[in-house]
Amino acid sequence: MKAKNLITAVAAFALAGSAFAAGNTEYVDFSNVQSVKTRAEVRAELEQARQQGQLAQTEYVEFNHVASTRTRDDVRKEAIRAARGDSATSTYFGG
């Protein structure tokens, strides 16, 4: 009986996995497409579009040099208060 249940479960998972793998996208084979531009031409067009502001803005923001307004000790004290549940002004306070 246990073996039958195991086989049924494995079959169900296999069917569920293949259903998710199908997706809604088609595979398009571009291996036979002949390029009409060189890599240098494409890069030049990209740079020109960038200079003219024709490229869509990305959502990537680099935060390497962000100045903090609080000291490390202040942040530690706040974390300890939050862990103890002493902070009634917490964003997640509410019971």
Side-chain angles (χ1 to χ4, degrees):
M1 187 66 162
K2 289 183 181 181
K4 185 177 179 181
N5 289 343
L6 180 63
I7 292 171
T8 304
V10 170
F13 284 123
L15 289 173
S18 64
F20 284 114
N24 294 331
T25 60
E26 291 183 25
Y27 173 73
V28 180
D29 184 16
F30 289 109
S31 62
N32 294 329
V33 174
Q34 295 296 318
S35 177
V36 295
K37 295 182 182 181
T38 65
R39 181 181 298 256
E41 290 172 331
V42 171
R43 288 184 181 221
E45 282 185 13
L46 177 63
E47 185 58 34
Q48 182 182 6
R50 185 176 290 131
Q51 289 174 356
Q52 294 176 354
Q54 296 176 343
L55 295 180
Q57 296 295 321
T58 62
E59 293 183 20
Y60 176 75
V61 178
E62 192 170 329
F63 290 105
N64 285 341
H65 305 288
V66 177
S68 178
T69 59
R70 297 164 42 197
T71 66
R72 184 180 204 86
D73 193 44
D74 290 340
V75 173
R76 282 187 177 158
K77 287 178 184 176
E78 181 185 352
I80 291 169
R81 266 195 327 268
R84 290 182 184 157
D86 296 342
S87 177
T89 60
S90 169
T91 304
Y92 303 106
F93 181 75

